[in-house]
């Protein structure tokens, strides 16, 4: 526990590097798949919209579990926290099954429903149906990472992800292009490589937690009381994420109207921007864990300082990356495709999001701090209202009026500034310090 900048950095930097590896894994997938065709690139990019839905659903037990585990650790009730982790493992496994079946059976329909062109629908159907077979692995990976983070261990996850990303890149090379005696599988090979990497993650996490050398341990004990506490916190976080993801999907549908090159450019820009998310994600993880632990230890001032330090440090890091996005957008986009129109579209997106990285840092970190305190209803209200009223609806009206894609991105940037200011105001009020979980 603690609230010093050093404590924040100790948690944030490994989490940020882990997130960087997540982004690099996606970028490597897109680089390799991009060698197949622009349609394959668009298909893999669009799959992230569906994954966002799954990540939103996972919030039910991930955010709630994180908040309760952090409080229990702060209260020095480590065995109870470990029992909750085991209970959440069983819950996540059962919870994942219908989503795995649904994704496998309806992959092509999902792409068609997004308005994708025929070739994108075909390739996307292949890719996402295979990926759906491993949804249980994805659900458990999110649980283990967040549980260890809540307990103050982000370093283990960083090393696990480093090895996992290398495994993913190796099997991409072998399976997509048919090297090492394997048959060339194209976009299907990218999906199988991803599943192999997730399987590795779960094996290592399981060994680490069964041995129990850290704060948490997998012990076969079910605690329904703590599970109910986690789900009470998590349901509003899940609802928030689902509403937010729905808004993002509508936003992508609006962009899809502008054509495949614009869609590909947007997906490329979004992945590159993910590099700017890296420090924001790390500091959000630190803020969530430290706020929860300090509140559990009855130290609200330390909880406030830890959130404040996290937000300021994130703004410094993300603002610096934003300057790079503004300065050399075409150069960055050129790594992913040689298509001149897609590069131009990606550059437009990157220039506009580059100037909004500081308010985006406020949104990332302070919403994470509020979730760590259990204030998930507050984050739900702010995010939902902002995304729908200030982004999606104005973008739809702009598209309907025949305005260019640049206006859509301008609307998105303005919404980011307003939302960042709202989270800053709510956090400074400190009402979240009185919330009981």
């Amino acid at each position: 526990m603690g609230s010093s900048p050093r404590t924040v950095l100790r948690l944030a930097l490994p989490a940020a590097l882990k997130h960087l590896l997540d982004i690099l894994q996606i970028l490597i997938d897109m680089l390799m798949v991009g060698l197949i065709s622009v349609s394959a690139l668009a298909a893999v990019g669009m799959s992230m919209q569906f994954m966002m839905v799954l990540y939103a659903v996972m919030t039910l037990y991930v955010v709630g579990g994180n908040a309760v585990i952090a409080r229990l650790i702060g209260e020095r009730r480590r065995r109870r926290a470990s029992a909750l982790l085991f209970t959440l493992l069983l819950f996540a496994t059962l919870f994942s099954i219908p989503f795995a079946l649904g994704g496998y059976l309806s992959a092509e329909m999902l792409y068609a429903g997004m308005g994708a062109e025929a070739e994108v629908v075909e390739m996307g159907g292949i890719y996402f149906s295979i990926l759906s077979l491993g949804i249980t692995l994805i659900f458990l990976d999110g649980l283990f990472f967040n549980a260890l983070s809540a307990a103050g261990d982000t370093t283990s996850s960083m090393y696990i992800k480093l090895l996992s990303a290398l495994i993913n890149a190796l099997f991409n090379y072998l399976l997509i292009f048919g090297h090492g005696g394997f048959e060339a599988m194209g976009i299907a090979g990218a999906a199988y490589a991803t599943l192999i990497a997730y399987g590795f993650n779960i094996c290592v996490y399981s060994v680490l937690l069964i041995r129990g050398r850290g704060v948490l341990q997998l012990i076969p004990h079910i605690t329904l009381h703590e599970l109910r506490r986690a789900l009470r916190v998590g349901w509003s976080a899940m609802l928030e994420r689902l509403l937010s993801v729905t808004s993002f999907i509508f936003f992508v549908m609006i962009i899809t109207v502008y054509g495949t090159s614009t869609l590909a450019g947007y997906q490329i820009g979004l992945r590159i921007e993910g590099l700017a998310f890296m420090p924001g994600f790390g500091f959000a993880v630190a803020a969530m864990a430290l706020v929860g632990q300090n509140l559990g230890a009855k130290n609200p001032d330390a909880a406030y300082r830890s959130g404040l330090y996290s937000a300021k440090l994130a703004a410094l890091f993300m603002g610096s990356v934003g300057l790079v996005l503004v300065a050399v957008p075409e150069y960055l986009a050129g790594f992913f495709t040689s298509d001149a129109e897609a590069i131009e579209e990606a550059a437009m997106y990157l220039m506009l999001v580059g100037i909004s990285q500081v308010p985006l840092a406020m949104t990332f970190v302070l919403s994470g701090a509020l979730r760590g305190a259990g204030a998930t209803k507050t984050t739900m209200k702010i995010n939902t209202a902002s995304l729908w009223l200030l982004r999606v609806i104005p973008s739809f009206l702009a598209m309907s009026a025949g305005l260019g894609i640049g206006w859509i991105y301008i609307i998105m940037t303005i919404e980011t500034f307003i939302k960042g200011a709202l989270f800053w105001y709510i956090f400074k009020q400190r009402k979240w310090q009185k919330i009981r979980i």
Side-chain angles (χ1 to χ4, degrees), residues 11 14-15 18 66 69-70 73 142-155 157 205 216 281-282 284-286 288-290 293:
L11 288 176
K18 188 265 182 188
N66 188 302
I69 287 174
I73 296 297
L143 169 64
F144 289 147
F145 167 71
N146 280 276
L148 286 178
S149 298
D153 179 10
T154 53
T155 304
S157 296
Y205 273 127
L216 287 176
F281 179 82
V285 169
M288 185 181 294
L290 292 173
Q293 289 184 20

PDB file of all heavy atoms in Angstrom, residues 11 14-15 18 66 69-70 73 142-155 157 205 216 281-282 284-286 288-290 293:
ATOM      1  N   LEU A  11       3.687  -0.072  -9.466  1.00  0.00           N
ATOM      2  CA  LEU A  11       2.557  -0.838  -9.996  1.00  0.00           C
ATOM      3  C   LEU A  11       2.265  -0.509 -11.451  1.00  0.00           C
ATOM      4  O   LEU A  11       1.934  -1.378 -12.251  1.00  0.00           O
ATOM      5  CB  LEU A  11       1.304  -0.571  -9.157  1.00  0.00           C
ATOM      6  CG  LEU A  11       1.247  -1.180  -7.761  1.00  0.00           C
ATOM      7  CD1 LEU A  11      -0.022  -0.733  -7.056  1.00  0.00           C
ATOM      8  CD2 LEU A  11       1.310  -2.682  -7.834  1.00  0.00           C
ATOM      9  N   PRO A  14       5.027  -1.878 -14.751  1.00  0.00           N
ATOM     10  CA  PRO A  14       4.839  -3.232 -15.274  1.00  0.00           C
ATOM     11  C   PRO A  14       3.489  -3.428 -15.970  1.00  0.00           C
ATOM     12  O   PRO A  14       3.400  -4.108 -16.993  1.00  0.00           O
ATOM     13  CB  PRO A  14       4.948  -4.116 -14.026  1.00  0.00           C
ATOM     14  CG  PRO A  14       5.723  -3.312 -13.057  1.00  0.00           C
ATOM     15  CD  PRO A  14       5.308  -1.890 -13.307  1.00  0.00           C
ATOM     16  N   ALA A  15       2.427  -2.810 -15.407  1.00  0.00           N
ATOM     17  CA  ALA A  15       1.110  -2.916 -16.036  1.00  0.00           C
ATOM     18  C   ALA A  15       1.103  -2.239 -17.396  1.00  0.00           C
ATOM     19  O   ALA A  15       0.505  -2.735 -18.356  1.00  0.00           O
ATOM     20  CB  ALA A  15       0.035  -2.304 -15.137  1.00  0.00           C
ATOM     21  N   LYS A  18       2.987  -4.390 -19.754  1.00  0.00           N
ATOM     22  CA  LYS A  18       2.128  -5.528 -20.116  1.00  0.00           C
ATOM     23  C   LYS A  18       1.115  -5.109 -21.178  1.00  0.00           C
ATOM     24  O   LYS A  18       0.876  -5.830 -22.152  1.00  0.00           O
ATOM     25  CB  LYS A  18       1.422  -6.039 -18.859  1.00  0.00           C
ATOM     26  CG  LYS A  18       0.649  -7.343 -19.055  1.00  0.00           C
ATOM     27  CD  LYS A  18      -0.808  -7.125 -19.354  1.00  0.00           C
ATOM     28  CE  LYS A  18      -1.568  -8.432 -19.484  1.00  0.00           C
ATOM     29  NZ  LYS A  18      -2.951  -8.236 -19.965  1.00  0.00           N
ATOM     30  N   ASN A  66     -11.844  -7.097  -8.569  1.00  0.00           N
ATOM     31  CA  ASN A  66     -10.686  -6.253  -8.294  1.00  0.00           C
ATOM     32  C   ASN A  66     -10.937  -5.369  -7.073  1.00  0.00           C
ATOM     33  O   ASN A  66     -10.097  -5.277  -6.170  1.00  0.00           O
ATOM     34  CB  ASN A  66     -10.385  -5.396  -9.526  1.00  0.00           C
ATOM     35  CG  ASN A  66      -9.089  -4.615  -9.408  1.00  0.00           C
ATOM     36  OD1 ASN A  66      -8.899  -3.835  -8.498  1.00  0.00           O
ATOM     37  ND2 ASN A  66      -8.196  -4.809 -10.370  1.00  0.00           N
ATOM     38  N   ILE A  69     -11.223  -7.630  -3.837  1.00  0.00           N
ATOM     39  CA  ILE A  69      -9.928  -8.217  -3.475  1.00  0.00           C
ATOM     40  C   ILE A  69      -8.999  -7.146  -2.916  1.00  0.00           C
ATOM     41  O   ILE A  69      -8.305  -7.360  -1.918  1.00  0.00           O
ATOM     42  CB  ILE A  69      -9.292  -8.916  -4.699  1.00  0.00           C
ATOM     43  CG1 ILE A  69     -10.036 -10.223  -4.997  1.00  0.00           C
ATOM     44  CG2 ILE A  69      -7.808  -9.214  -4.457  1.00  0.00           C
ATOM     45  CD1 ILE A  69      -9.593 -10.917  -6.269  1.00  0.00           C
ATOM     46  N   ALA A  70      -8.974  -5.961  -3.543  1.00  0.00           N
ATOM     47  CA  ALA A  70      -8.120  -4.877  -3.052  1.00  0.00           C
ATOM     48  C   ALA A  70      -8.524  -4.462  -1.636  1.00  0.00           C
ATOM     49  O   ALA A  70      -7.664  -4.228  -0.770  1.00  0.00           O
ATOM     50  CB  ALA A  70      -8.195  -3.678  -3.992  1.00  0.00           C
ATOM     51  N   ILE A  73      -7.392  -7.169   0.769  1.00  0.00           N
ATOM     52  CA  ILE A  73      -5.943  -7.095   0.977  1.00  0.00           C
ATOM     53  C   ILE A  73      -5.616  -5.943   1.924  1.00  0.00           C
ATOM     54  O   ILE A  73      -4.788  -6.065   2.833  1.00  0.00           O
ATOM     55  CB  ILE A  73      -5.205  -6.911  -0.360  1.00  0.00           C
ATOM     56  CG1 ILE A  73      -5.405  -8.139  -1.266  1.00  0.00           C
ATOM     57  CG2 ILE A  73      -3.715  -6.655  -0.132  1.00  0.00           C
ATOM     58  CD1 ILE A  73      -4.841  -9.416  -0.726  1.00  0.00           C
ATOM     59  N   GLY A 142      -8.212 -12.451 -18.150  1.00  0.00           N
ATOM     60  CA  GLY A 142      -8.597 -11.163 -17.579  1.00  0.00           C
ATOM     61  C   GLY A 142      -8.769 -11.229 -16.071  1.00  0.00           C
ATOM     62  O   GLY A 142      -8.384 -10.311 -15.338  1.00  0.00           O
ATOM     63  N   LEU A 143      -9.343 -12.326 -15.585  1.00  0.00           N
ATOM     64  CA  LEU A 143      -9.536 -12.496 -14.145  1.00  0.00           C
ATOM     65  C   LEU A 143      -8.200 -12.548 -13.413  1.00  0.00           C
ATOM     66  O   LEU A 143      -7.994 -11.836 -12.413  1.00  0.00           O
ATOM     67  CB  LEU A 143     -10.322 -13.784 -13.876  1.00  0.00           C
ATOM     68  CG  LEU A 143     -10.385 -14.225 -12.408  1.00  0.00           C
ATOM     69  CD1 LEU A 143     -11.134 -13.203 -11.570  1.00  0.00           C
ATOM     70  CD2 LEU A 143     -11.024 -15.603 -12.292  1.00  0.00           C
ATOM     71  N   PHE A 144      -7.285 -13.376 -13.886  1.00  0.00           N
ATOM     72  CA  PHE A 144      -6.018 -13.559 -13.191  1.00  0.00           C
ATOM     73  C   PHE A 144      -5.185 -12.275 -13.184  1.00  0.00           C
ATOM     74  O   PHE A 144      -4.584 -11.913 -12.166  1.00  0.00           O
ATOM     75  CB  PHE A 144      -5.223 -14.699 -13.821  1.00  0.00           C
ATOM     76  CG  PHE A 144      -5.800 -16.059 -13.570  1.00  0.00           C
ATOM     77  CD1 PHE A 144      -5.691 -17.068 -14.521  1.00  0.00           C
ATOM     78  CD2 PHE A 144      -6.460 -16.339 -12.386  1.00  0.00           C
ATOM     79  CE1 PHE A 144      -6.219 -18.326 -14.291  1.00  0.00           C
ATOM     80  CE2 PHE A 144      -6.995 -17.604 -12.143  1.00  0.00           C
ATOM     81  CZ  PHE A 144      -6.877 -18.605 -13.103  1.00  0.00           C
ATOM     82  N   PHE A 145      -5.145 -11.589 -14.322  1.00  0.00           N
ATOM     83  CA  PHE A 145      -4.371 -10.346 -14.371  1.00  0.00           C
ATOM     84  C   PHE A 145      -4.908  -9.316 -13.382  1.00  0.00           C
ATOM     85  O   PHE A 145      -4.157  -8.710 -12.621  1.00  0.00           O
ATOM     86  CB  PHE A 145      -4.377  -9.759 -15.783  1.00  0.00           C
ATOM     87  CG  PHE A 145      -3.862  -8.344 -15.833  1.00  0.00           C
ATOM     88  CD1 PHE A 145      -2.522  -8.074 -15.641  1.00  0.00           C
ATOM     89  CD2 PHE A 145      -4.732  -7.275 -16.027  1.00  0.00           C
ATOM     90  CE1 PHE A 145      -2.038  -6.762 -15.651  1.00  0.00           C
ATOM     91  CE2 PHE A 145      -4.257  -5.967 -16.044  1.00  0.00           C
ATOM     92  CZ  PHE A 145      -2.909  -5.719 -15.851  1.00  0.00           C
ATOM     93  N   ASN A 146      -6.210  -9.116 -13.382  1.00  0.00           N
ATOM     94  CA  ASN A 146      -6.804  -8.104 -12.511  1.00  0.00           C
ATOM     95  C   ASN A 146      -6.724  -8.490 -11.043  1.00  0.00           C
ATOM     96  O   ASN A 146      -6.546  -7.622 -10.184  1.00  0.00           O
ATOM     97  CB  ASN A 146      -8.250  -7.841 -12.932  1.00  0.00           C
ATOM     98  CG  ASN A 146      -8.343  -6.923 -14.123  1.00  0.00           C
ATOM     99  OD1 ASN A 146      -8.304  -5.708 -14.001  1.00  0.00           O
ATOM    100  ND2 ASN A 146      -8.449  -7.503 -15.316  1.00  0.00           N
ATOM    101  N   ALA A 147      -6.831  -9.785 -10.738  1.00  0.00           N
ATOM    102  CA  ALA A 147      -6.733 -10.219  -9.341  1.00  0.00           C
ATOM    103  C   ALA A 147      -5.331  -9.974  -8.806  1.00  0.00           C
ATOM    104  O   ALA A 147      -5.159  -9.454  -7.690  1.00  0.00           O
ATOM    105  CB  ALA A 147      -7.097 -11.695  -9.224  1.00  0.00           C
ATOM    106  N   LEU A 148      -4.314 -10.328  -9.581  1.00  0.00           N
ATOM    107  CA  LEU A 148      -2.942 -10.084  -9.147  1.00  0.00           C
ATOM    108  C   LEU A 148      -2.664  -8.584  -9.035  1.00  0.00           C
ATOM    109  O   LEU A 148      -1.957  -8.136  -8.121  1.00  0.00           O
ATOM    110  CB  LEU A 148      -1.952 -10.725 -10.119  1.00  0.00           C
ATOM    111  CG  LEU A 148      -1.839 -12.250 -10.051  1.00  0.00           C
ATOM    112  CD1 LEU A 148      -0.848 -12.753 -11.097  1.00  0.00           C
ATOM    113  CD2 LEU A 148      -1.423 -12.717  -8.667  1.00  0.00           C
ATOM    114  N   SER A 149      -3.223  -7.796  -9.959  1.00  0.00           N
ATOM    115  CA  SER A 149      -3.034  -6.345  -9.899  1.00  0.00           C
ATOM    116  C   SER A 149      -3.656  -5.767  -8.636  1.00  0.00           C
ATOM    117  O   SER A 149      -3.076  -4.890  -7.982  1.00  0.00           O
ATOM    118  CB  SER A 149      -3.653  -5.678 -11.132  1.00  0.00           C
ATOM    119  OG  SER A 149      -3.018  -6.117 -12.322  1.00  0.00           O
ATOM    120  N   ALA A 150      -4.849  -6.252  -8.280  1.00  0.00           N
ATOM    121  CA  ALA A 150      -5.515  -5.778  -7.062  1.00  0.00           C
ATOM    122  C   ALA A 150      -4.697  -6.095  -5.825  1.00  0.00           C
ATOM    123  O   ALA A 150      -4.733  -5.361  -4.836  1.00  0.00           O
ATOM    124  CB  ALA A 150      -6.902  -6.406  -6.942  1.00  0.00           C
ATOM    125  N   ALA A 151      -3.936  -7.195  -5.893  1.00  0.00           N
ATOM    126  CA  ALA A 151      -3.092  -7.593  -4.768  1.00  0.00           C
ATOM    127  C   ALA A 151      -1.741  -6.894  -4.792  1.00  0.00           C
ATOM    128  O   ALA A 151      -0.911  -7.111  -3.907  1.00  0.00           O
ATOM    129  CB  ALA A 151      -2.891  -9.106  -4.782  1.00  0.00           C
ATOM    130  N   GLY A 152      -1.504  -6.053  -5.810  1.00  0.00           N
ATOM    131  CA  GLY A 152      -0.259  -5.298  -5.881  1.00  0.00           C
ATOM    132  C   GLY A 152       0.833  -5.954  -6.687  1.00  0.00           C
ATOM    133  O   GLY A 152       1.994  -5.533  -6.635  1.00  0.00           O
ATOM    134  N   ASP A 153       0.505  -7.001  -7.468  1.00  0.00           N
ATOM    135  CA  ASP A 153       1.502  -7.692  -8.282  1.00  0.00           C
ATOM    136  C   ASP A 153       1.172  -7.504  -9.758  1.00  0.00           C
ATOM    137  O   ASP A 153       0.311  -8.193 -10.306  1.00  0.00           O
ATOM    138  CB  ASP A 153       1.535  -9.181  -7.940  1.00  0.00           C
ATOM    139  CG  ASP A 153       2.539  -9.952  -8.791  1.00  0.00           C
ATOM    140  OD1 ASP A 153       3.334  -9.307  -9.515  1.00  0.00           O
ATOM    141  OD2 ASP A 153       2.532 -11.196  -8.739  1.00  0.00           O
ATOM    142  N   THR A 154       1.841  -6.553 -10.403  1.00  0.00           N
ATOM    143  CA  THR A 154       1.697  -6.382 -11.852  1.00  0.00           C
ATOM    144  C   THR A 154       2.917  -6.913 -12.595  1.00  0.00           C
ATOM    145  O   THR A 154       2.880  -7.075 -13.807  1.00  0.00           O
ATOM    146  CB  THR A 154       1.506  -4.895 -12.204  1.00  0.00           C
ATOM    147  OG1 THR A 154       2.574  -4.127 -11.624  1.00  0.00           O
ATOM    148  CG2 THR A 154       0.183  -4.373 -11.669  1.00  0.00           C
ATOM    149  N   THR A 155       3.993  -7.203 -11.867  1.00  0.00           N
ATOM    150  CA  THR A 155       5.234  -7.655 -12.502  1.00  0.00           C
ATOM    151  C   THR A 155       5.100  -9.060 -13.086  1.00  0.00           C
ATOM    152  O   THR A 155       5.576  -9.327 -14.195  1.00  0.00           O
ATOM    153  CB  THR A 155       6.389  -7.620 -11.484  1.00  0.00           C
ATOM    154  OG1 THR A 155       6.507  -6.301 -10.950  1.00  0.00           O
ATOM    155  CG2 THR A 155       7.703  -8.014 -12.137  1.00  0.00           C
ATOM    156  N   SER A 157       2.495 -10.575 -14.261  1.00  0.00           N
ATOM    157  CA  SER A 157       1.713 -10.531 -15.497  1.00  0.00           C
ATOM    158  C   SER A 157       2.535  -9.984 -16.661  1.00  0.00           C
ATOM    159  O   SER A 157       2.370 -10.410 -17.806  1.00  0.00           O
ATOM    160  CB  SER A 157       0.462  -9.672 -15.302  1.00  0.00           C
ATOM    161  OG  SER A 157      -0.390 -10.246 -14.342  1.00  0.00           O
ATOM    162  N   TYR A 205      -0.234 -18.754 -15.164  1.00  0.00           N
ATOM    163  CA  TYR A 205      -0.970 -18.151 -14.044  1.00  0.00           C
ATOM    164  C   TYR A 205      -1.392 -19.223 -13.028  1.00  0.00           C
ATOM    165  O   TYR A 205      -1.301 -19.016 -11.815  1.00  0.00           O
ATOM    166  CB  TYR A 205      -2.214 -17.436 -14.558  1.00  0.00           C
ATOM    167  CG  TYR A 205      -2.014 -16.004 -14.996  1.00  0.00           C
ATOM    168  CD1 TYR A 205      -2.422 -15.583 -16.259  1.00  0.00           C
ATOM    169  CD2 TYR A 205      -1.438 -15.065 -14.143  1.00  0.00           C
ATOM    170  CE1 TYR A 205      -2.259 -14.262 -16.674  1.00  0.00           C
ATOM    171  CE2 TYR A 205      -1.278 -13.747 -14.537  1.00  0.00           C
ATOM    172  CZ  TYR A 205      -1.685 -13.350 -15.809  1.00  0.00           C
ATOM    173  OH  TYR A 205      -1.520 -12.043 -16.204  1.00  0.00           O
ATOM    174  N   LEU A 216      -1.830 -13.754  -3.158  1.00  0.00           N
ATOM    175  CA  LEU A 216      -2.992 -14.570  -3.492  1.00  0.00           C
ATOM    176  C   LEU A 216      -2.593 -16.008  -3.776  1.00  0.00           C
ATOM    177  O   LEU A 216      -1.475 -16.289  -4.205  1.00  0.00           O
ATOM    178  CB  LEU A 216      -3.709 -13.995  -4.720  1.00  0.00           C
ATOM    179  CG  LEU A 216      -4.504 -12.703  -4.527  1.00  0.00           C
ATOM    180  CD1 LEU A 216      -5.060 -12.236  -5.865  1.00  0.00           C
ATOM    181  CD2 LEU A 216      -5.626 -12.887  -3.521  1.00  0.00           C
ATOM    182  N   PHE A 281      -3.304   2.944 -19.271  1.00  0.00           N
ATOM    183  CA  PHE A 281      -3.779   1.666 -18.734  1.00  0.00           C
ATOM    184  C   PHE A 281      -3.010   1.298 -17.481  1.00  0.00           C
ATOM    185  O   PHE A 281      -3.591   0.882 -16.475  1.00  0.00           O
ATOM    186  CB  PHE A 281      -3.621   0.581 -19.796  1.00  0.00           C
ATOM    187  CG  PHE A 281      -4.042  -0.785 -19.352  1.00  0.00           C
ATOM    188  CD1 PHE A 281      -5.371  -1.158 -19.375  1.00  0.00           C
ATOM    189  CD2 PHE A 281      -3.106  -1.689 -18.890  1.00  0.00           C
ATOM    190  CE1 PHE A 281      -5.758  -2.423 -18.954  1.00  0.00           C
ATOM    191  CE2 PHE A 281      -3.480  -2.951 -18.470  1.00  0.00           C
ATOM    192  CZ  PHE A 281      -4.811  -3.317 -18.501  1.00  0.00           C
ATOM    193  N   GLY A 282      -1.679   1.451 -17.534  1.00  0.00           N
ATOM    194  CA  GLY A 282      -0.870   1.100 -16.384  1.00  0.00           C
ATOM    195  C   GLY A 282      -1.215   1.919 -15.154  1.00  0.00           C
ATOM    196  O   GLY A 282      -1.355   1.381 -14.046  1.00  0.00           O
ATOM    197  N   ALA A 284      -4.022   3.490 -14.614  1.00  0.00           N
ATOM    198  CA  ALA A 284      -5.389   3.164 -14.192  1.00  0.00           C
ATOM    199  C   ALA A 284      -5.396   1.925 -13.311  1.00  0.00           C
ATOM    200  O   ALA A 284      -6.114   1.858 -12.307  1.00  0.00           O
ATOM    201  CB  ALA A 284      -6.282   2.954 -15.412  1.00  0.00           C
ATOM    202  N   VAL A 285      -4.594   0.922 -13.675  1.00  0.00           N
ATOM    203  CA  VAL A 285      -4.466  -0.290 -12.857  1.00  0.00           C
ATOM    204  C   VAL A 285      -3.914   0.065 -11.483  1.00  0.00           C
ATOM    205  O   VAL A 285      -4.409  -0.408 -10.454  1.00  0.00           O
ATOM    206  CB  VAL A 285      -3.561  -1.322 -13.563  1.00  0.00           C
ATOM    207  CG1 VAL A 285      -3.196  -2.462 -12.605  1.00  0.00           C
ATOM    208  CG2 VAL A 285      -4.251  -1.885 -14.800  1.00  0.00           C
ATOM    209  N   ALA A 286      -2.880   0.907 -11.469  1.00  0.00           N
ATOM    210  CA  ALA A 286      -2.294   1.320 -10.190  1.00  0.00           C
ATOM    211  C   ALA A 286      -3.303   2.084  -9.342  1.00  0.00           C
ATOM    212  O   ALA A 286      -3.429   1.846  -8.128  1.00  0.00           O
ATOM    213  CB  ALA A 286      -1.057   2.186 -10.447  1.00  0.00           C
ATOM    214  N   MET A 288      -6.608   1.978  -9.428  1.00  0.00           N
ATOM    215  CA  MET A 288      -7.676   1.104  -8.953  1.00  0.00           C
ATOM    216  C   MET A 288      -7.216   0.269  -7.756  1.00  0.00           C
ATOM    217  O   MET A 288      -7.924   0.169  -6.740  1.00  0.00           O
ATOM    218  CB  MET A 288      -8.148   0.178 -10.083  1.00  0.00           C
ATOM    219  CG  MET A 288      -9.344  -0.677  -9.710  1.00  0.00           C
ATOM    220  SD  MET A 288      -9.893  -1.788 -11.049  1.00  0.00           S
ATOM    221  CE  MET A 288     -10.472  -0.593 -12.249  1.00  0.00           C
ATOM    222  N   ALA A 289      -6.009  -0.294  -7.857  1.00  0.00           N
ATOM    223  CA  ALA A 289      -5.510  -1.141  -6.774  1.00  0.00           C
ATOM    224  C   ALA A 289      -5.222  -0.333  -5.516  1.00  0.00           C
ATOM    225  O   ALA A 289      -5.632  -0.707  -4.407  1.00  0.00           O
ATOM    226  CB  ALA A 289      -4.246  -1.874  -7.229  1.00  0.00           C
ATOM    227  N   LEU A 290      -4.522   0.804  -5.670  1.00  0.00           N
ATOM    228  CA  LEU A 290      -4.112   1.587  -4.500  1.00  0.00           C
ATOM    229  C   LEU A 290      -5.287   2.277  -3.821  1.00  0.00           C
ATOM    230  O   LEU A 290      -5.330   2.376  -2.584  1.00  0.00           O
ATOM    231  CB  LEU A 290      -3.057   2.610  -4.905  1.00  0.00           C
ATOM    232  CG  LEU A 290      -1.704   2.008  -5.313  1.00  0.00           C
ATOM    233  CD1 LEU A 290      -0.783   3.079  -5.856  1.00  0.00           C
ATOM    234  CD2 LEU A 290      -1.059   1.286  -4.137  1.00  0.00           C
ATOM    235  N   GLN A 293      -7.069  -0.598  -1.914  1.00  0.00           N
ATOM    236  CA  GLN A 293      -6.311  -1.061  -0.758  1.00  0.00           C
ATOM    237  C   GLN A 293      -6.285  -0.014   0.360  1.00  0.00           C
ATOM    238  O   GLN A 293      -6.445  -0.335   1.533  1.00  0.00           O
ATOM    239  CB  GLN A 293      -4.878  -1.403  -1.174  1.00  0.00           C
ATOM    240  CG  GLN A 293      -4.775  -2.670  -2.013  1.00  0.00           C
ATOM    241  CD  GLN A 293      -3.331  -3.026  -2.319  1.00  0.00           C
ATOM    242  OE1 GLN A 293      -2.410  -2.576  -1.648  1.00  0.00           O
ATOM    243  NE2 GLN A 293      -3.131  -3.838  -3.349  1.00  0.00           N
TER     244      GLN A 293
END
